[in-house]
Amino acid sequence: MKTLRPIVLNLVTWTLVLLIAFPLLWMIITSLKPQSELFRIPPTWIPESITFEHYWRLLSETPFLRYFRNSVVLAVSTTVFVVILGTLGAYSLVRFTYRGRETMAMLVLFTYLLPSVVLIIPLYLMIASLGLSNSLFGLILAHTTFALPYALWLLRSFMEGIPEDLENAALVDGASRMGAFKDVIFPQLLPGIISTALFTFILSWNEYLYALVLVNSESVTPLTTGVMSMLISAFNIEWSLLMAASVMMSLPLIVVFAFLQSYLTSGFGAGGVKG
Amino acid sequence: MANVTFRNVRKSFGEFVALEELDLHINEGEFVALLGPSGCGKSTTLRMLAGLEFPTSGEIMIGDRVVNDLAPGKRDIAMVFQSYALYPHMSVGENIGYPLKKRGIKGRERDDAVQKAAELLQLDALLDRKPKQLSGGQQQRVALGRALVRDPQVFLLDEPLSNLDAKLRSYMRAELIELHRRLGKTMVYVTHDQLEAMTMASRIAVMHGGRVQQFDTPDAIYNRPANRFVAGFIGTPPMNQVEGTVEGGHFITGGHKVPIDRSAYADALRDGPVVLGVRPEAITIGKGEGLPATVRLAENTGHETIVTLELPDRTRISARVEAARRLDVGHSVALTFDPDAIHLFEASATGARLNLDAKSASVVSMRSK
């Protein structure tokens, strides 16, 4: 019995892992297969020959790199906007008392509950009337509006975990409000800021609908809509190119996660205040 | 130059009035305790002095500067928080040096000052540690170090010892008294612990319901409480209060006469209802002559016994007797009060002391305005 238990547990765990990872693995395998091997039945699990020709074609013959650059600009700008606005907003919600504070916070959350399909037409009209339709900046604003509500609530709960006395102590010690924020609040908030940034980046990186509706010129199209319109047409799906594109699209997220994971789990703010 | 004055200070949070009307004058170099139950306004008072709250009306002065509109960092004060509020991401040395850093003191000068403060508090071996690696007592000392490193005019301490265990607390009490003696700075100390206030402060402001009830030396607070609240708050167990009447210069309760020292009251002693106050140690338990009572409980603490007694009108009072004294629960006894240790208060809600001297009277008359 004693030896059986860990074996069963391991078996179950690894089955689950494989089940979840399978699409990912299949994506990588497909992207490395030569065209001839692609639709063979039964499928080859391990490619007979590995080729990088799809990657090469994607990079040299398609606007993939331009899309990639647009996506990076889009996701990074959105993240910066959301983190700055979210932090300021959360600070205000937690530290100051004013009329309508809770109502405002609830309203912001309410917009998050509405599906984006409902919001997209008014949003499109607003952005068009600002003269920002078909621009990357317009799309950045749109992404900011849908990532901000959740980010605000996330940062708010992190901010609530920081004792007010820490900030008061800094004020008494001679810091200005900005100084206290920079020296004391920000370092404590960092894990919260990193998780919020990560969340926002992923949301913006993967976003499809707003990009589809708000942007249609080649020069500002991000990866999601760009790759789709480039490789999927009514008559043909370029599977190997699509898989190669997908691998390269996932790469930045995996890298970012790998680097920030330790920040997310470390929670180094604990223990400074007693009581 | 660093005396502290509150003049007609009022503070309300919306509908809620935290401080009704505060007038306090703290002299330079004094150690003043603000003592009271929670919600009495003592912490609000301290936070207004620190600049973390702003008075609704009135004036706060440090030295001869009105500081009402001055940012906390510009008031030349230092504060020790109940939670210590150490910066978790900074080392002990960085924590202590932070106030200096914010005042633009750099390099060698800052290091020396931090070193000096750390040595004074025996923290010099811990300068590189992070706060969470320290014990409660050490964290407390870091908070003190951060306060005294830059030699402020006034120290504000907000229940600094309440998170320590009993043994460490009595040790830190002695340390703080010593520190105050050595620095000679004005200190304002908020506490709900009367032992801390009585042992450390040169004067105590007893607060209740957003008002100062009495502001005097520990001795006067204990021996001449200005009203029934102070009498019932100070002392463990506190002063007993017995309702009765004055008739022809005697105190009568339940048909029994209690002798009082009439000379202490002059013409303040008029016939009518009053409340008699007597400390547990001024009660003698005997047989025969005296106020009849029944023993309800005897608690032996080792060096004394606290006896709970019930008077015929069901009022419960406590008396302090020597530990060896055996008193059986349910037995009838007769009580006599030391006439010199009897206090008389008005029977009204405020319950002011009948023979107030001028100084305490001013505080109480403001109360009844």
Side-chain angles (χ1 to χ4, degrees):
Chain A
M1 256 332 261
K2 254 186 190 157
T3 46
L4 206 64
R5 222 179 117 83
I7 292 172
V8 171
L9 274 177
N10 268 304
L11 221 62
V12 170
T13 313
W14 281 109
T15 314
L16 278 174
V17 169
L18 276 177
L19 222 59
I20 292 163
F22 178 74
L24 214 65
L25 281 175
W26 195 243
M27 173 178 90
I28 295 168
I29 291 165
T30 311
S31 74
L32 296 173
K33 278 179 186 172
Q35 202 78 35
S36 56
E37 218 180 308
L38 213 51
F39 293 106
R40 194 181 293 171
I41 292 176
T44 47
W45 292 102
I46 295 161
E48 283 160 5
S49 64
I50 286 178
T51 170
F52 288 97
E53 62 168 313
H54 312 306
Y55 289 91
W56 179 243
R57 257 186 73 201
L58 211 54
L59 295 177
S60 58
E61 293 170 25
T62 69
F64 181 84
L65 276 178
R66 194 192 316 134
Y67 299 156
F68 196 91
R69 184 199 65 106
N70 287 342
S71 265
V72 169
V73 171
L74 177 63
V76 168
S77 312
T78 304
T79 306
V80 169
F81 272 176
V82 166
V83 164
I84 290 174
L85 290 174
T87 307
L88 292 176
Y91 183 80
S92 150
L93 285 176
V94 172
R95 284 289 182 265
F96 302 125
T97 35
Y98 43 88
R99 190 178 283 274
R101 184 183 56 163
E102 270 320 299
T103 321
M104 197 134 72
M106 287 309 290
L107 270 176
V108 167
L109 192 66
F110 185 66
T111 64
Y112 181 70
L113 299 178
L114 293 176
S116 10
V117 192
V118 176
L119 296 172
I120 193 142
I121 303 297
L123 201 63
Y124 174 76
L125 292 175
M126 273 164 75
I127 282 176
S129 71
L130 286 172
L132 293 172
S133 62
N134 228 350
S135 74
L136 210 49
F137 187 61
L139 198 54
I140 290 167
L141 285 186
H143 280 189
T144 303
T145 64
F146 81 75
L148 193 55
Y150 188 72
L152 187 67
W153 277 72
L154 202 64
L155 282 167
R156 183 190 186 177
S157 64
F158 274 103
M159 192 81 83
E160 272 165 353
I162 302 171
E164 203 176 343
D165 271 355
L166 276 187
E167 191 181 357
N168 287 337
L171 291 177
V172 171
D173 284 343
S176 61
R177 218 169 241 288
M178 277 310 283
F181 184 87
K182 181 174 76 69
D183 294 344
V184 176
I185 304 289
F186 182 76
Q188 295 307 302
L189 198 62
L190 203 56
I193 286 179
I194 288 173
S195 2
T196 309
L198 213 54
F199 159 82
T200 310
F201 187 88
I202 293 168
L203 214 62
S204 177
W205 186 263
N206 291 336
E207 205 282 331
Y208 181 76
L209 184 64
Y210 282 16
L212 187 69
V213 174
L214 298 179
V215 160
N216 50 33
S217 112
E218 270 285 288
S219 62
V220 291
T221 305
L223 273 176
T224 44
T225 51
V227 167
M228 286 293 264
S229 63
M230 171 172 81
L231 301 177
I232 302 176
S233 65
F235 310 104
N236 183 30
I237 299 177
E238 295 262 16
W239 280 111
S240 30
L241 284 184
L242 193 59
M243 289 303 121
S246 300
V247 170
M248 285 199 282
M249 275 175 78
S250 318
L251 223 53
L253 295 187
I254 292 167
V255 169
V256 166
F257 250 109
F259 273 99
L260 295 184
Q261 198 198 19
S262 60
Y263 276 98
L264 287 178
T265 48
S266 67
F268 48 80
V273 159
K274 215 181 163 204
Chain B
M1 286 313 289
N3 43 28
V4 171
T5 308
F6 287 85
R7 197 175 290 148
N8 288 326
V9 172
R10 185 185 164 84
K11 173 67 182 175
S12 50
F13 298 95
E15 298 276 289
F16 174 71
V17 180
L19 280 173
E20 291 274 359
E21 192 180 4
L22 184 71
D23 280 273
L24 269 185
H25 182 82
I26 298 166
N27 297 320
E28 179 176 6
E30 232 184 335
F31 193 134
V32 166
L34 306 179
L35 174 68
S38 47
C40 72
K42 57 188 193 296
S43 286
T44 308
T45 306
L46 196 73
R47 290 169 62 85
M48 285 196 297
L49 186 53
L52 300 171
E53 300 280 357
F54 296 95
T56 310
S57 62
E59 228 171 45
I60 301 172
M61 295 176 73
I62 298 176
D64 26 70
R65 279 194 304 173
V66 176
V67 295
N68 280 31
D69 299 320
L70 224 51
K74 299 221 156 65
R75 296 188 177 199
D76 204 6
I77 47 151
M79 185 159 172
V80 176
F81 291 81
Q82 182 176 5
S83 62
Y84 311 150
L86 303 179
Y87 312 127
H89 55 290
M90 299 184 197
S91 69
V92 168
E94 287 167 334
N95 261 285
I96 297 177
Y98 186 72
L100 300 178
K101 187 179 160 192
K102 284 287 118 178
R103 277 167 182 74
I105 297 166
K106 291 191 185 84
R108 195 59 195 279
E109 200 185 341
R110 185 160 89 205
D111 294 345
D112 287 350
V114 169
Q115 189 65 32
K116 220 178 106 193
E119 271 166 26
L120 186 68
L121 296 162
Q122 295 146 36
L123 288 167
D124 35 336
L126 306 170
L127 285 175
D128 294 326
R129 301 258 186 103
K130 288 279 166 66
K132 71 175 161 192
Q133 295 170 296
L134 305 181
S135 70
Q138 290 166 335
Q139 291 183 358
Q140 163 73 69
R141 294 214 296 276
V142 176
L144 273 174
R146 195 173 62 187
L148 58 83
V149 69
R150 55 160 234 267
D151 198 25
Q153 288 200 55
V154 183
F155 284 94
L156 312 180
L157 302 109
D158 188 6
E159 310 226 11
L161 305 185
S162 62
N163 283 332
L164 301 178
D165 62 56
K167 201 170 157 191
L168 204 52
R169 193 152 50 207
S170 86
Y171 172 75
M172 283 308 293
R173 257 197 338 252
E175 290 281 289
L176 277 174
I177 295 169
E178 168 66 19
L179 202 64
H180 175 247
R181 201 183 52 74
R182 195 167 351 169
L183 299 173
K185 295 284 175 162
T186 313
M187 291 191 177
V188 185
Y189 187 103
V190 162
T191 181
H192 64 269
D193 182 343
Q194 48 170 301
L195 185 67
E196 285 177 15
M198 295 294 281
T199 54
M200 296 164 77
S202 41
R203 280 199 293 168
I204 300 173
V206 182
M207 299 181 71
H208 175 57
R211 289 177 180 280
V212 174
Q213 305 289 325
Q214 188 171 3
F215 184 36
D216 218 326
T217 60
D219 184 55
I221 297 267
Y222 191 82
N223 291 315
R224 289 182 65 80
N227 57 45
R228 286 177 66 186
F229 174 79
V230 177
F233 189 73
I234 302 291
T236 26
M239 187 182 281
N240 299 296
Q241 301 188 13
V242 181
E243 287 175 19
T245 50
V246 169
E247 279 168 36
H250 293 284
F251 177 80
I252 316 276
T253 181
H256 292 269
K257 214 183 256 185
V258 175
I260 47 179
D261 177 14
R262 261 172 279 176
S263 63
Y265 295 90
D267 49 345
L269 201 62
R270 278 182 290 261
D271 287 5
V274 293
V275 172
L276 175 144
V278 61
R279 294 245 174 241
E281 57 268 30
I283 299 175
T284 311
I285 303 176
K287 289 207 156 58
E289 283 290 297
L291 199 61
T294 315
V295 177
R296 285 291 173 222
L297 184 67
E299 296 163 287
N300 188 342
T301 63
H303 70 104
E304 62 181 17
T305 295
I306 305 292
V307 189
T308 305
L309 303 144
E310 194 174 284
L311 300 181
D313 66 354
R314 304 215 150 248
T315 306
R316 290 202 166 199
I317 63 174
S318 37
R320 201 186 292 270
V321 298
E322 63 273 31
R325 180 94 178 260
R326 298 240 76 80
L327 284 161
D328 293 322
V329 172
H331 273 215
S332 295
V333 291
L335 309 179
T336 45
F337 302 157
D338 175 3
D340 296 333
I342 282 176
H343 311 256
L344 291 179
F345 302 99
E346 289 171 6
S348 64
T350 47
R353 184 183 187 84
L354 284 188
N355 56 341
L356 275 174
D357 45 53
K359 191 174 58 170
S360 319
S362 70
V363 174
V364 174
S365 74
M366 259 166 25
R367 284 172 34 78
S368 40
K369 234 185 341 200

